[in-house]
Amino acid sequence: QSLLSGAIANNESECIMLKSKFDSYSYLWTTDMTKYFEDFCDDAKIITEKGTTLLDLKKFDDAIQKCIEVQETVANLKSPMDIGWLRINTTPAKQQVSLYATKWISMFTTHMLETVTSRMTEQ
């Protein structure tokens, strides 16, 4: 019986480690996107010598790249994943993490597009 208990404990530990991989991306769905983006935009500005406010494209690119890296990392996780006698289908979780990363990417890229478009139509 102790052999079985050890196997169960080991499987539980490995399942918790797998869950923690996905939990490390929880900021994608727990962060208030609107509030975060307001703060981000306040910081991601460059003011030229003539007083023109421009987007800091480096900061936008870094934020987008971080999301792309999340998508790539999650896409490379195995599915299904075998832990002891358990077979875990990680595909739904991988898809959801990727979907949230896509929402963040869209938020950044849409803002850049709208900013550039509005500036071009002003002139």
Side-chain angles (χ1 to χ4, degrees):
Q1 186 180 16
S2 79
L3 186 59
L4 179 60
S5 295
I8 290 171
N10 187 50
N11 287 353
E12 180 181 15
S13 174
E14 287 189 44
C15 286
I16 290 169
M17 287 182 1
L18 174 60
K19 180 184 177 292
S20 73
K21 285 182 184 179
F22 288 99
D23 284 345
S24 69
Y25 305 115
S26 66
Y27 63 90
L28 292 170
W29 57 88
T30 59
T31 301
D32 180 340
M33 288 177 78
T34 305
K35 173 71 174 117
Y36 176 88
F37 196 63
E38 286 174 7
D39 294 342
F40 177 85
C41 287
D42 287 344
D43 184 53
K45 294 179 187 174
I46 298 173
I47 300 178
T48 66
E49 293 174 7
K50 295 182 180 182
T52 305
T53 302
L54 304 173
L55 297 177
D56 186 339
L57 297 180
K58 172 79 171 110
K59 288 184 180 179
F60 275 87
D61 185 54
D62 289 347
I64 292 167
Q65 284 304 315
K66 181 179 175 184
C67 293
I68 290 171
E69 288 170 11
V70 166
Q71 288 177 317
E72 290 171 351
T73 301
V74 169
N76 289 328
L77 291 175
K78 233 173 103 178
S79 185
M81 186 174 284
D82 294 331
I83 296 178
W85 63 81
L86 300 173
R87 175 156 286 174
I88 300 169
N89 179 7
T90 59
T91 300
K94 290 169 56 171
Q95 290 171 336
Q96 287 302 305
V97 171
S98 183
L99 178 66
Y100 277 102
T102 298
K103 288 179 182 181
W104 283 85
I105 292 168
S106 177
M107 179 178 63
F108 293 115
T109 57
T110 299
H111 180 75
M112 288 190 300
L113 177 64
E114 289 173 353
T115 300
V116 169
T117 303
S118 71
R119 294 249 170 92
M120 290 178 74
T121 57
E122 287 173 4
Q123 297 177 2

